[in-house]
Amino acid sequence: MIKKVISNIKINRISILKLSILIFSLSGLVSCSDEKVGVSGGSNHELNDKDLSEFDLSRDIINPDFGRLPPVKGESRIDPTTGTKITRLTDASELEGTDDALIVYSRYTPENTNGKYFLAFGDGSDKSWVIERATGEIIMPLTDTKFRTIGEYHEVRWDTSGNHPNRLYYRHELTFNQIDIVFDAAGKSTLEQTLLKDFSTLLPNSSMIYNDVEGDSSNDSDHWAFMAIHYGLHDTQGDEQFLVDAFVHYQLSTGETHIMTPGDLAGSELDIEKDRSYFSFRPNMVEVSPLGTGIVIHMGRKWDNNGSLTPYVDTWFDGPHLWPLDFKYADKAPIKISIGETHSAWSLGKDGREIFISQNNRTDRLDAVYVAGSNAGYANRLAIAKHSDFGWSNGFHYGKMPPSRKGWAFINTYSDENSSSHDDDWGADQLIMMQIIDVSEDPIIWRIAPNYNLYSGSYRDEAPAAINTLGNRIYVTSNWGGKLKNREVFVFELSKDWHLAEEFN
């Protein structure tokens, strides 16, 4: 058994990891199979909760083996290089009114907290379905109080507190709503709708609240962030667009609401905004940090079209800033946490503090920024990787890591380069866990698997990948290397204890 484990360990610069896997083996924590199952062969192999498998820490090219045909719904394959189990969960032809089954984005989980159900979204932004993960059974489409279908546009989110696994939330116009999936004695499911908050009286000039699709609540689903908007002609930009009337914080448990309008910035470093009826800029999105520390307003870098400095440079509107939940900036000033409107997500440090992970398109680095504590803020950013290391063809998405997986960042990449030409792009079209330490300290890079997707420039084909709240499954939207004519939801299974390997380094 010991010889088998040692022979399967890849040689790489972090040789101490060999010892860690051997230690796990001697403790009975590693189960090794004598059979190597290729991805094209199909397999019912189940990952053991204590199976740490063979961690691939290399920067070698890992090309997927797509097989002769793509998997059918419910079929599993094993990646021949990393051993990761991949299962197709959907067949979009079973979903009414859509060509695709999508997870939409990487920054929030499509799986409920007990792992029984997941959400698949349609390609038209107004449809979504609750599906049982183990069986693939479509439980129901999600609808609002008037039985209209809802989806990506309505910013549907699972309750992630752990207290209500069958509860979801969504926004519609100026309302924030709750859905509970209820089963009767015969197992028939129905949706119970609850209006949590109607903001219309508080925001009389607005037509909608939203986070702009990509944002999420705090991990306990208690704190929520929105922009209140209306559609109109922007006075300085000269086009019609969504105009931001206010930023909103809502606490579910207390019903407390905080609102910041341009006039509330009088006397601050953004005093220039005080006489406006709406804010000069609409951010990419808004969200609450995982632990509810504050609200992030994802403003872009403040340069004008000529590349000249503007009055907003180095203000709280220059790049994403973490604001206090009550927007009382005089008590606690907003803190800059990224360079601009770029792909980003969240992790937690070993000490449990929140870390904002983002792509820095000014330095070509991947930044990790603590949002609280003595070394917090963009000025104290940690560069955990260089873009060039992954290959210049790559774009990046990041997942929201659960609290049980401290010290790691989840990265999924997409590239329009053909896989056979990835000589310098080992990171192209891959799912990767990266240790959060400075790049000079040689952080561990764990290669989970290729994403089994072909990206040719379409936004929906960027292979978004989101990790669940348990930290053991990753959901991916994939076209299986173009062998599928549409997009489907796949799940990549991780060992329950994969994160323990880092403790031995």
Side-chain angles (χ1 to χ4, degrees), residues 294-329:
I295 287 176
V296 181
I297 300 178
H298 285 251
M299 288 290 186
R301 189 167 180 258
K302 290 298 173 281
W303 296 77
D304 65 21
N305 292 333
N306 298 317
S308 302
L309 296 175
T310 76
Y312 292 92
V313 170
D314 293 331
T315 69
W316 301 328
F317 279 1
D318 187 0
H321 282 64
L322 183 85
W323 292 68
L325 295 174
D326 58 9
F327 301 110
K328 293 183 178 179
Y329 53 80

Side-chain angles (χ1 to χ4, degrees), residues 335-336 367-370 373-383 438:
I335 181 172
K336 184 172 182 174
D367 287 346
V369 176
Y370 285 96
S374 59
N375 60 338
Y378 179 75
N380 300 305
R381 63 191 179 278
L382 198 66
D438 190 88

Side-chain angles (χ1 to χ4, degrees), residues 1 5 8-9 17-33 45-57 82-84 405 408 446-448 471 493-504:
M1 174 67 175
V5 173
N8 280 342
I9 296 173
L17 190 68
K18 296 180 182 180
L19 177 61
S20 75
I21 297 178
L22 178 59
I23 292 172
F24 277 119
S25 176
L26 295 173
S27 304
L29 292 178
V30 175
S31 62
C32 292
S33 169
H45 169 71
E46 293 292 335
L47 278 177
N48 188 302
D49 278 350
K50 297 178 181 179
D51 176 16
L52 291 170
S53 68
E54 177 192 285
F55 290 84
D56 189 326
L57 310 180
T82 67
T84 299
R405 301 296 188 260
W408 292 89
W446 173 35
R447 311 288 299 282
I448 299 168
E493 304 276 354
L494 308 180
S495 167
K496 177 182 177 181
D497 295 323
W498 62 261
H499 61 301
L500 296 180
E502 189 269 339
E503 296 179 5
F504 288 86

Side-chain angles (χ1 to χ4, degrees), residues 123-301:
D123 51 21
S125 298
D126 62 346
K127 293 180 174 63
S128 58
W129 295 264
V130 176
I131 301 176
E132 189 171 49
R133 177 179 59 84
T135 66
E137 178 186 357
I138 301 169
I139 303 302
M140 63 178 63
L142 290 179
T143 57
D144 64 12
T145 55
K146 296 183 179 179
F147 304 102
R148 297 168 298 197
T149 58
I150 59 175
E152 174 185 5
Y153 172 79
H154 302 88
E155 300 172 352
V156 180
R157 303 287 186 271
W158 286 109
D159 182 286
T160 52
S161 67
N163 300 321
H164 309 285
N166 292 348
R167 179 170 292 176
L168 303 110
Y169 305 95
Y170 71 95
R171 48 135 297 271
H172 178 63
E173 296 178 345
L174 285 167
T175 66
F176 183 50
N177 307 273
Q178 174 182 301
I179 295 176
D180 286 291
I181 305 172
V182 179
F183 295 88
D184 63 19
K188 183 180 179 181
S189 59
T190 57
L191 299 180
E192 289 188 355
Q193 299 269 355
T194 304
L195 173 64
L196 297 174
K197 183 74 173 182
D198 185 341
F199 292 92
S200 57
T201 56
L202 295 173
L203 303 163
N205 298 322
S206 302
S207 58
M208 184 171 74
I209 57 165
Y210 76 150
N211 65 50
D212 209 354
V213 178
E214 299 171 8
D216 201 5
S217 68
S218 54
N219 285 345
D220 58 9
S221 294
D222 195 27
H223 297 280
W224 298 80
F226 303 106
M227 292 178 274
I229 62 170
H230 73 276
Y231 193 76
L233 180 67
H234 197 288
D235 58 348
T236 61
Q237 296 178 24
D239 62 344
E240 291 191 341
Q241 57 179 269
F242 287 135
L243 306 174
V244 181
D245 304 310
F247 295 106
V248 180
H249 162 249
Y250 175 68
Q251 185 171 7
L252 181 56
S253 62
T254 64
E256 189 173 15
T257 302
H258 300 100
I259 295 175
M260 182 173 72
T261 65
D264 294 320
L265 294 173
S268 75
E269 65 177 50
L270 289 168
D271 184 76
I272 191 174
E273 294 283 287
K274 67 180 179 183
D275 295 323
R276 299 183 56 82
S277 60
Y278 56 87
F279 289 101
S280 295
F281 304 98
R282 176 167 57 93
N284 182 57
M285 64 169 167
V286 295
E287 65 177 334
V288 179
S289 68
L291 303 183
T293 303
I295 287 176
V296 181
I297 300 178
H298 285 251
M299 288 290 186
R301 189 167 180 258

Side-chain angles (χ1 to χ4, degrees), residues 24-147:
F24 277 119
S25 176
L26 295 173
S27 304
L29 292 178
V30 175
S31 62
C32 292
S33 169
D34 290 333
E35 182 183 3
K36 290 289 186 179
V37 184
V39 72
S40 59
S43 171
N44 290 322
H45 169 71
E46 293 292 335
L47 278 177
N48 188 302
D49 278 350
K50 297 178 181 179
D51 176 16
L52 291 170
S53 68
E54 177 192 285
F55 290 84
D56 189 326
L57 310 180
S58 74
R59 284 173 168 79
D60 298 333
I61 302 297
I62 302 179
N63 285 317
D65 181 355
F66 295 108
R68 187 173 63 86
L69 295 172
V72 298
K73 177 182 174 180
E75 182 182 354
S76 297
R77 307 275 180 93
I78 304 298
D79 181 82
T81 304
T82 67
T84 299
K85 178 184 175 183
I86 308 164
T87 304
R88 178 176 166 182
L89 296 179
T90 59
D91 182 343
S93 67
E94 300 174 349
L95 306 175
E96 184 178 354
T98 181
D99 294 325
D100 296 316
L102 310 167
I103 69 157
V104 176
Y105 210 62
S106 297
R107 302 182 89 258
Y108 46 87
T109 177
E111 182 185 290
N112 73 335
T113 54
N114 66 14
K116 187 171 184 179
Y117 303 114
F118 72 94
L119 287 176
F121 292 84
D123 51 21
S125 298
D126 62 346
K127 293 180 174 63
S128 58
W129 295 264
V130 176
I131 301 176
E132 189 171 49
R133 177 179 59 84
T135 66
E137 178 186 357
I138 301 169
I139 303 302
M140 63 178 63
L142 290 179
T143 57
D144 64 12
T145 55
K146 296 183 179 179
F147 304 102

Side-chain angles (χ1 to χ4, degrees), residues 376-391:
Y378 179 75
N380 300 305
R381 63 191 179 278
L382 198 66
I384 63 174
K386 301 175 182 178
H387 191 155
S388 58
D389 184 24
F390 292 86

